[in-house]
mmCIF file of all heavy atoms in Angstrom:
data_model
loop_
_atom_site.group_PDB
_atom_site.id
_atom_site.type_symbol
_atom_site.label_atom_id
_atom_site.label_comp_id
_atom_site.label_asym_id
_atom_site.label_seq_id
_atom_site.Cartn_x
_atom_site.Cartn_y
_atom_site.Cartn_z
ATOM 1 N N SER A 265 30.339 -64.153 -79.882
ATOM 2 C CA SER A 265 29.092 -63.560 -80.235
ATOM 3 C C SER A 265 28.707 -62.550 -79.135
ATOM 4 O O SER A 265 29.295 -62.495 -78.086
ATOM 5 C CB SER A 265 28.006 -64.635 -80.291
ATOM 6 O OG SER A 265 27.777 -65.299 -79.080
ATOM 7 N N ARG A 266 27.742 -61.749 -79.447
ATOM 8 C CA ARG A 266 27.219 -60.710 -78.492
ATOM 9 C C ARG A 266 25.729 -60.650 -78.455
ATOM 10 O O ARG A 266 25.088 -60.941 -79.493
ATOM 11 C CB ARG A 266 27.746 -59.353 -78.931
ATOM 12 C CG ARG A 266 29.207 -59.140 -78.713
ATOM 13 C CD ARG A 266 29.633 -57.777 -79.302
ATOM 14 N NE ARG A 266 28.919 -56.644 -78.660
ATOM 15 C CZ ARG A 266 29.105 -55.417 -78.943
ATOM 16 N NH1 ARG A 266 30.037 -55.102 -79.873
ATOM 17 N NH2 ARG A 266 28.541 -54.436 -78.302
ATOM 18 N N ASP A 267 25.195 -60.368 -77.333
ATOM 19 C CA ASP A 267 23.771 -59.978 -77.161
ATOM 20 C C ASP A 267 23.786 -58.493 -76.904
ATOM 21 O O ASP A 267 24.081 -58.078 -75.774
ATOM 22 C CB ASP A 267 23.155 -60.831 -76.088
ATOM 23 C CG ASP A 267 21.661 -60.541 -76.014
ATOM 24 O OD1 ASP A 267 21.211 -59.381 -76.304
ATOM 25 O OD2 ASP A 267 20.910 -61.444 -75.589
ATOM 26 N N PHE A 268 23.448 -57.691 -77.883
ATOM 27 C CA PHE A 268 23.533 -56.249 -77.717
ATOM 28 C C PHE A 268 22.562 -55.683 -76.641
ATOM 29 O O PHE A 268 22.815 -54.741 -75.979
ATOM 30 C CB PHE A 268 23.368 -55.530 -79.063
ATOM 31 C CG PHE A 268 24.506 -55.696 -79.961
ATOM 32 C CD1 PHE A 268 24.696 -56.854 -80.697
ATOM 33 C CD2 PHE A 268 25.459 -54.633 -80.119
ATOM 34 C CE1 PHE A 268 25.814 -56.956 -81.616
ATOM 35 C CE2 PHE A 268 26.524 -54.734 -80.952
ATOM 36 C CZ PHE A 268 26.714 -55.900 -81.729
ATOM 37 N N ASP A 269 21.425 -56.296 -76.560
ATOM 38 C CA ASP A 269 20.416 -55.910 -75.663
ATOM 39 C C ASP A 269 20.863 -56.207 -74.181
ATOM 40 O O ASP A 269 20.407 -55.456 -73.344
ATOM 41 C CB ASP A 269 19.075 -56.640 -75.924
ATOM 42 C CG ASP A 269 18.497 -56.135 -77.225
ATOM 43 O OD1 ASP A 269 18.773 -55.015 -77.642
ATOM 44 O OD2 ASP A 269 17.774 -56.916 -77.865
ATOM 45 N N LYS A 270 21.616 -57.247 -73.953
ATOM 46 C CA LYS A 270 21.964 -57.655 -72.602
ATOM 47 C C LYS A 270 23.348 -57.195 -72.271
ATOM 48 O O LYS A 270 23.815 -57.435 -71.142
ATOM 49 C CB LYS A 270 21.860 -59.122 -72.470
ATOM 50 C CG LYS A 270 20.498 -59.676 -72.566
ATOM 51 C CD LYS A 270 20.419 -61.192 -72.406
ATOM 52 C CE LYS A 270 19.053 -61.758 -72.504
ATOM 53 N NZ LYS A 270 19.040 -63.245 -72.301
ATOM 54 N N ASP A 271 24.073 -56.485 -73.143
ATOM 55 C CA ASP A 271 25.425 -56.102 -72.913
ATOM 56 C C ASP A 271 26.282 -57.319 -72.408
ATOM 57 O O ASP A 271 27.008 -57.274 -71.438
ATOM 58 C CB ASP A 271 25.542 -54.987 -71.858
ATOM 59 C CG ASP A 271 25.341 -53.594 -72.395
ATOM 60 O OD1 ASP A 271 25.351 -53.506 -73.668
ATOM 61 O OD2 ASP A 271 25.165 -52.662 -71.692
ATOM 62 N N THR A 272 26.126 -58.432 -73.189
ATOM 63 C CA THR A 272 26.745 -59.638 -72.877
ATOM 64 C C THR A 272 27.480 -60.196 -74.096
ATOM 65 O O THR A 272 26.952 -60.131 -75.143
ATOM 66 C CB THR A 272 25.757 -60.606 -72.276
ATOM 67 O OG1 THR A 272 25.169 -60.018 -71.095
ATOM 68 C CG2 THR A 272 26.432 -61.973 -71.862
ATOM 69 N N ALA A 273 28.682 -60.764 -73.812
ATOM 70 C CA ALA A 273 29.421 -61.406 -74.946
ATOM 71 C C ALA A 273 29.591 -62.878 -74.540
ATOM 72 O O ALA A 273 29.486 -63.289 -73.311
ATOM 73 C CB ALA A 273 30.733 -60.767 -75.136
ATOM 74 N N TYR A 274 29.730 -63.731 -75.582
ATOM 75 C CA TYR A 274 29.887 -65.113 -75.336
ATOM 76 C C TYR A 274 31.085 -65.667 -76.116
ATOM 77 O O TYR A 274 31.468 -65.084 -77.155
ATOM 78 C CB TYR A 274 28.607 -65.850 -75.775
ATOM 79 C CG TYR A 274 27.332 -65.334 -75.190
ATOM 80 C CD1 TYR A 274 26.587 -64.378 -75.806
ATOM 81 C CD2 TYR A 274 26.907 -65.845 -73.912
ATOM 82 C CE1 TYR A 274 25.369 -63.901 -75.254
ATOM 83 C CE2 TYR A 274 25.765 -65.323 -73.343
ATOM 84 C CZ TYR A 274 24.997 -64.418 -73.956
ATOM 85 O OH TYR A 274 23.871 -63.894 -73.394
ATOM 86 N N LEU A 275 31.584 -66.760 -75.666
ATOM 87 C CA LEU A 275 32.591 -67.496 -76.329
ATOM 88 C C LEU A 275 32.203 -68.931 -76.349
ATOM 89 O O LEU A 275 32.216 -69.576 -75.293
ATOM 90 C CB LEU A 275 34.042 -67.328 -75.707
ATOM 91 C CG LEU A 275 35.155 -67.976 -76.483
ATOM 92 C CD1 LEU A 275 35.363 -67.192 -77.774
ATOM 93 C CD2 LEU A 275 36.450 -67.931 -75.737
ATOM 94 N N GLU A 276 31.787 -69.375 -77.539
ATOM 95 C CA GLU A 276 31.455 -70.772 -77.702
ATOM 96 C C GLU A 276 32.663 -71.551 -78.046
ATOM 97 O O GLU A 276 33.413 -71.233 -79.018
ATOM 98 C CB GLU A 276 30.356 -70.999 -78.775
ATOM 99 C CG GLU A 276 29.790 -72.323 -78.955
ATOM 100 C CD GLU A 276 28.731 -72.605 -77.877
ATOM 101 O OE1 GLU A 276 28.011 -71.643 -77.502
ATOM 102 O OE2 GLU A 276 28.664 -73.760 -77.438
ATOM 103 N N MET A 277 33.011 -72.587 -77.268
ATOM 104 C CA MET A 277 34.275 -73.240 -77.421
ATOM 105 C C MET A 277 33.888 -74.768 -77.663
ATOM 106 O O MET A 277 33.262 -75.403 -76.834
ATOM 107 C CB MET A 277 35.131 -73.211 -76.182
ATOM 108 C CG MET A 277 35.456 -71.735 -75.791
ATOM 109 S SD MET A 277 36.637 -71.609 -74.478
ATOM 110 C CE MET A 277 35.753 -72.371 -73.144
ATOM 111 N N ASN A 278 34.373 -75.293 -78.819
ATOM 112 C CA ASN A 278 34.085 -76.639 -79.258
ATOM 113 C C ASN A 278 35.404 -77.411 -79.408
ATOM 114 O O ASN A 278 36.452 -76.819 -79.654
ATOM 115 C CB ASN A 278 33.239 -76.712 -80.539
ATOM 116 C CG ASN A 278 31.899 -75.996 -80.325
ATOM 117 O OD1 ASN A 278 31.093 -76.334 -79.385
ATOM 118 N ND2 ASN A 278 31.543 -75.056 -81.162
ATOM 119 N N ARG A 279 35.313 -78.698 -79.386
ATOM 120 C CA ARG A 279 36.509 -79.605 -79.575
ATOM 121 C C ARG A 279 37.688 -79.070 -78.782
ATOM 122 O O ARG A 279 38.743 -78.925 -79.294
ATOM 123 C CB ARG A 279 36.860 -79.605 -81.147
ATOM 124 C CG ARG A 279 35.696 -80.111 -82.027
ATOM 125 C CD ARG A 279 36.164 -80.446 -83.421
ATOM 126 N NE ARG A 279 37.038 -79.599 -84.069
ATOM 127 C CZ ARG A 279 36.622 -78.575 -84.836
ATOM 128 N NH1 ARG A 279 35.331 -78.261 -84.947
ATOM 129 N NH2 ARG A 279 37.513 -77.729 -85.449
ATOM 130 N N LEU A 280 37.363 -78.994 -77.554
ATOM 131 C CA LEU A 280 38.457 -78.483 -76.674
ATOM 132 C C LEU A 280 39.601 -79.370 -76.498
ATOM 133 O O LEU A 280 39.469 -80.654 -76.548
ATOM 134 C CB LEU A 280 37.851 -78.188 -75.252
ATOM 135 C CG LEU A 280 36.946 -76.886 -75.221
ATOM 136 C CD1 LEU A 280 36.041 -76.930 -73.990
ATOM 137 C CD2 LEU A 280 37.907 -75.673 -75.163
ATOM 138 N N GLU A 281 40.771 -78.804 -76.390
ATOM 139 C CA GLU A 281 42.050 -79.590 -76.264
ATOM 140 C C GLU A 281 42.713 -79.212 -74.958
ATOM 141 O O GLU A 281 42.505 -78.193 -74.391
ATOM 142 C CB GLU A 281 42.910 -79.213 -77.462
ATOM 143 C CG GLU A 281 42.319 -79.374 -78.817
ATOM 144 C CD GLU A 281 43.148 -78.723 -79.924
ATOM 145 O OE1 GLU A 281 44.104 -77.983 -79.589
ATOM 146 O OE2 GLU A 281 42.743 -78.932 -81.103
ATOM 147 N N PRO A 282 43.577 -80.091 -74.406
ATOM 148 C CA PRO A 282 44.261 -79.786 -73.156
ATOM 149 C C PRO A 282 45.003 -78.497 -73.233
ATOM 150 O O PRO A 282 45.115 -77.705 -72.314
ATOM 151 C CB PRO A 282 45.217 -80.954 -73.071
ATOM 152 C CG PRO A 282 44.495 -82.039 -73.702
ATOM 153 C CD PRO A 282 43.850 -81.439 -74.892
ATOM 154 N N GLU A 283 45.525 -78.064 -74.496
ATOM 155 C CA GLU A 283 46.264 -76.799 -74.622
ATOM 156 C C GLU A 283 45.301 -75.595 -74.509
ATOM 157 O O GLU A 283 45.787 -74.417 -74.470
ATOM 158 C CB GLU A 283 46.831 -76.765 -75.984
ATOM 159 C CG GLU A 283 47.968 -77.730 -76.286
ATOM 160 C CD GLU A 283 47.486 -79.191 -76.439
ATOM 161 O OE1 GLU A 283 46.256 -79.433 -76.814
ATOM 162 O OE2 GLU A 283 48.285 -80.105 -76.179
ATOM 163 N N ASP A 284 44.036 -75.792 -74.423
ATOM 164 C CA ASP A 284 43.077 -74.648 -74.185
ATOM 165 C C ASP A 284 42.892 -74.355 -72.687
ATOM 166 O O ASP A 284 42.196 -73.437 -72.333
ATOM 167 C CB ASP A 284 41.681 -75.021 -74.752
ATOM 168 C CG ASP A 284 41.701 -75.133 -76.271
ATOM 169 O OD1 ASP A 284 42.449 -74.316 -76.989
ATOM 170 O OD2 ASP A 284 41.123 -76.131 -76.805
ATOM 171 N N THR A 285 43.526 -75.180 -71.877
ATOM 172 C CA THR A 285 43.423 -74.947 -70.370
ATOM 173 C C THR A 285 44.033 -73.625 -70.095
ATOM 174 O O THR A 285 45.199 -73.366 -70.420
ATOM 175 C CB THR A 285 44.181 -76.058 -69.597
ATOM 176 O OG1 THR A 285 43.489 -77.265 -69.844
ATOM 177 C CG2 THR A 285 44.272 -75.767 -68.195
ATOM 178 N N ALA A 286 43.247 -72.784 -69.411
ATOM 179 C CA ALA A 286 43.773 -71.413 -69.104
ATOM 180 C C ALA A 286 42.635 -70.733 -68.323
ATOM 181 O O ALA A 286 41.531 -71.161 -68.232
ATOM 182 C CB ALA A 286 44.070 -70.600 -70.431
ATOM 183 N N ILE A 287 43.013 -69.451 -67.830
ATOM 184 C CA ILE A 287 42.002 -68.607 -67.344
ATOM 185 C C ILE A 287 41.587 -67.718 -68.453
ATOM 186 O O ILE A 287 42.483 -67.165 -69.195
ATOM 187 C CB ILE A 287 42.608 -67.736 -66.159
ATOM 188 C CG1 ILE A 287 43.016 -68.598 -65.007
ATOM 189 C CG2 ILE A 287 41.539 -66.732 -65.702
ATOM 190 C CD1 ILE A 287 43.736 -67.808 -63.925
ATOM 191 N N TYR A 288 40.332 -67.657 -68.679
ATOM 192 C CA TYR A 288 39.788 -66.835 -69.805
ATOM 193 C C TYR A 288 39.264 -65.481 -69.348
ATOM 194 O O TYR A 288 38.461 -65.414 -68.407
ATOM 195 C CB TYR A 288 38.733 -67.643 -70.552
ATOM 196 C CG TYR A 288 39.306 -68.716 -71.419
ATOM 197 C CD1 TYR A 288 39.859 -69.854 -70.897
ATOM 198 C CD2 TYR A 288 39.310 -68.568 -72.818
ATOM 199 C CE1 TYR A 288 40.403 -70.849 -71.648
ATOM 200 C CE2 TYR A 288 39.782 -69.607 -73.649
ATOM 201 C CZ TYR A 288 40.426 -70.700 -73.036
ATOM 202 O OH TYR A 288 40.924 -71.633 -73.859
ATOM 203 N N PHE A 289 39.700 -64.393 -69.953
ATOM 204 C CA PHE A 289 39.341 -63.080 -69.557
ATOM 205 C C PHE A 289 38.495 -62.417 -70.717
ATOM 206 O O PHE A 289 38.874 -62.553 -71.798
ATOM 207 C CB PHE A 289 40.580 -62.271 -69.349
ATOM 208 C CG PHE A 289 41.504 -62.704 -68.246
ATOM 209 C CD1 PHE A 289 42.570 -63.618 -68.494
ATOM 210 C CD2 PHE A 289 41.229 -62.249 -66.900
ATOM 211 C CE1 PHE A 289 43.329 -64.087 -67.530
ATOM 212 C CE2 PHE A 289 42.132 -62.736 -65.938
ATOM 213 C CZ PHE A 289 43.110 -63.577 -66.214
ATOM 214 N N CYS A 290 37.560 -61.594 -70.273
ATOM 215 C CA CYS A 290 36.757 -60.862 -71.153
ATOM 216 C C CYS A 290 37.387 -59.404 -71.092
ATOM 217 O O CYS A 290 37.752 -58.967 -69.993
ATOM 218 C CB CYS A 290 35.329 -60.929 -70.700
ATOM 219 S SG CYS A 290 34.183 -59.780 -71.464
ATOM 220 N N ALA A 291 37.334 -58.734 -72.155
ATOM 221 C CA ALA A 291 37.809 -57.293 -72.221
ATOM 222 C C ALA A 291 37.018 -56.523 -73.197
ATOM 223 O O ALA A 291 36.461 -57.069 -74.181
ATOM 224 C CB ALA A 291 39.305 -57.317 -72.542
ATOM 225 N N VAL A 292 36.993 -55.177 -73.016
ATOM 226 C CA VAL A 292 36.360 -54.308 -73.912
ATOM 227 C C VAL A 292 37.292 -53.162 -74.211
ATOM 228 O O VAL A 292 38.029 -52.666 -73.399
ATOM 229 C CB VAL A 292 34.975 -53.780 -73.455
ATOM 230 C CG1 VAL A 292 34.021 -54.918 -73.294
ATOM 231 C CG2 VAL A 292 35.099 -52.936 -72.148
ATOM 232 N N ASP A 293 37.178 -52.624 -75.441
ATOM 233 C CA ASP A 293 37.821 -51.457 -75.910
ATOM 234 C C ASP A 293 36.666 -50.438 -76.029
ATOM 235 O O ASP A 293 35.934 -50.410 -77.029
ATOM 236 C CB ASP A 293 38.548 -51.576 -77.180
ATOM 237 C CG ASP A 293 39.012 -50.286 -77.717
ATOM 238 O OD1 ASP A 293 38.970 -49.192 -77.033
ATOM 239 O OD2 ASP A 293 39.427 -50.315 -78.938
ATOM 240 N N ARG A 294 36.602 -49.573 -75.077
ATOM 241 C CA ARG A 294 35.469 -48.489 -75.049
ATOM 242 C C ARG A 294 35.901 -47.225 -75.544
ATOM 243 O O ARG A 294 35.113 -46.380 -75.982
ATOM 244 C CB ARG A 294 34.899 -48.522 -73.676
ATOM 245 C CG ARG A 294 33.633 -47.616 -73.486
ATOM 246 C CD ARG A 294 33.098 -47.748 -72.099
ATOM 247 N NE ARG A 294 31.887 -46.889 -71.939
ATOM 248 C CZ ARG A 294 31.894 -45.562 -71.612
ATOM 249 N NH1 ARG A 294 33.078 -45.036 -71.311
ATOM 250 N NH2 ARG A 294 30.821 -44.858 -71.529
ATOM 251 N N SER A 295 37.221 -46.925 -75.510
ATOM 252 C CA SER A 295 37.720 -45.611 -75.804
ATOM 253 C C SER A 295 37.927 -45.365 -77.290
ATOM 254 O O SER A 295 37.793 -44.217 -77.743
ATOM 255 C CB SER A 295 39.013 -45.433 -75.035
ATOM 256 O OG SER A 295 39.943 -46.318 -75.454
ATOM 257 N N ASN A 296 38.268 -46.416 -78.036
ATOM 258 C CA ASN A 296 38.487 -46.152 -79.508
ATOM 259 C C ASN A 296 38.179 -47.339 -80.394
ATOM 260 O O ASN A 296 38.963 -47.825 -81.093
ATOM 261 C CB ASN A 296 40.074 -45.892 -79.668
ATOM 262 C CG ASN A 296 40.345 -45.189 -80.994
ATOM 263 O OD1 ASN A 296 39.423 -44.599 -81.586
ATOM 264 N ND2 ASN A 296 41.535 -45.222 -81.394
ATOM 265 N N PRO A 297 36.897 -47.771 -80.251
ATOM 266 C CA PRO A 297 36.510 -48.982 -81.048
ATOM 267 C C PRO A 297 36.466 -48.725 -82.591
ATOM 268 O O PRO A 297 36.654 -49.783 -83.234
ATOM 269 C CB PRO A 297 35.095 -49.251 -80.522
ATOM 270 C CG PRO A 297 34.633 -47.970 -80.027
ATOM 271 C CD PRO A 297 35.797 -47.221 -79.499
ATOM 272 N N LEU A 298 36.285 -47.505 -82.970
ATOM 273 C CA LEU A 298 36.127 -47.295 -84.448
ATOM 274 C C LEU A 298 37.489 -47.562 -85.149
ATOM 275 O O LEU A 298 37.556 -47.889 -86.290
ATOM 276 C CB LEU A 298 35.728 -45.875 -84.669
ATOM 277 C CG LEU A 298 34.310 -45.438 -84.248
ATOM 278 C CD1 LEU A 298 34.059 -44.051 -84.562
ATOM 279 C CD2 LEU A 298 33.335 -46.423 -84.920
ATOM 280 N N ALA A 299 38.632 -47.384 -84.386
ATOM 281 C CA ALA A 299 39.931 -47.547 -84.972
ATOM 282 C C ALA A 299 40.201 -48.982 -85.386
ATOM 283 O O ALA A 299 41.029 -49.280 -86.247
ATOM 284 C CB ALA A 299 40.999 -47.128 -84.005
ATOM 285 N N THR A 300 39.472 -49.916 -84.887
ATOM 286 C CA THR A 300 39.711 -51.328 -85.077
ATOM 287 C C THR A 300 38.451 -51.972 -85.601
ATOM 288 O O THR A 300 38.229 -53.195 -85.450
ATOM 289 C CB THR A 300 40.288 -52.087 -83.918
ATOM 290 O OG1 THR A 300 39.317 -51.893 -82.795
ATOM 291 C CG2 THR A 300 41.589 -51.521 -83.513
ATOM 292 N N SER A 301 37.597 -51.218 -86.333
ATOM 293 C CA SER A 301 36.337 -51.704 -86.855
ATOM 294 C C SER A 301 36.569 -53.016 -87.772
ATOM 295 O O SER A 301 35.739 -53.925 -87.710
ATOM 296 C CB SER A 301 35.556 -50.648 -87.561
ATOM 297 O OG SER A 301 35.159 -49.717 -86.714
ATOM 298 N N ASP A 302 37.586 -52.947 -88.501
ATOM 299 C CA ASP A 302 37.869 -54.016 -89.469
ATOM 300 C C ASP A 302 38.907 -55.012 -88.975
ATOM 301 O O ASP A 302 39.129 -56.056 -89.636
ATOM 302 C CB ASP A 302 38.328 -53.478 -90.802
ATOM 303 C CG ASP A 302 37.265 -52.583 -91.501
ATOM 304 O OD1 ASP A 302 36.139 -52.957 -91.387
ATOM 305 O OD2 ASP A 302 37.763 -51.607 -92.106
ATOM 306 N N ALA A 303 39.524 -54.677 -87.827
ATOM 307 C CA ALA A 303 40.519 -55.519 -87.279
ATOM 308 C C ALA A 303 40.394 -55.603 -85.773
ATOM 309 O O ALA A 303 41.292 -55.048 -85.040
ATOM 310 C CB ALA A 303 41.960 -55.127 -87.652
ATOM 311 N N PRO A 304 39.260 -56.179 -85.218
ATOM 312 C CA PRO A 304 39.055 -56.074 -83.785
ATOM 313 C C PRO A 304 40.116 -56.739 -82.968
ATOM 314 O O PRO A 304 40.264 -56.441 -81.795
ATOM 315 C CB PRO A 304 37.695 -56.798 -83.631
ATOM 316 C CG PRO A 304 37.510 -57.601 -84.887
ATOM 317 C CD PRO A 304 38.244 -56.885 -85.948
ATOM 318 N N GLY A 305 40.866 -57.603 -83.543
ATOM 319 C CA GLY A 305 41.963 -58.290 -82.799
ATOM 320 C C GLY A 305 43.106 -57.355 -82.412
ATOM 321 O O GLY A 305 43.872 -57.709 -81.511
ATOM 322 N N SER A 306 43.070 -56.183 -83.021
ATOM 323 C CA SER A 306 44.140 -55.218 -82.706
ATOM 324 C C SER A 306 43.774 -54.181 -81.654
ATOM 325 O O SER A 306 44.486 -53.241 -81.388
ATOM 326 C CB SER A 306 44.450 -54.393 -83.926
ATOM 327 O OG SER A 306 44.913 -55.199 -84.972
#
């Protein structure tokens, strides 16, 4: 989720499993966001 006013994103994680153990990184695509409007995972 995002808070557009605060320029902040969130990741709500439920039912966590040992396999979820990791370092979690946040990232942004600022240069070409329109190209992935329908497929943000790309």
Side-chain angles (χ1 to χ4, degrees):
S265 61
R266 289 175 61 179
D267 185 327
F268 287 81
D269 292 334
K270 295 182 178 179
D271 276 347
T272 300
Y274 304 95
L275 185 67
E276 189 77 34
M277 306 187 294
N278 299 307
R279 303 199 310 274
L280 283 161
E281 303 169 353
E283 292 74 22
D284 296 318
T285 295
I287 299 174
Y288 284 72
F289 299 90
C290 172
V292 297
D293 169 13
R294 189 173 177 272
S295 61
N296 198 19
L298 296 181
T300 56
S301 292
D302 296 323
S306 301

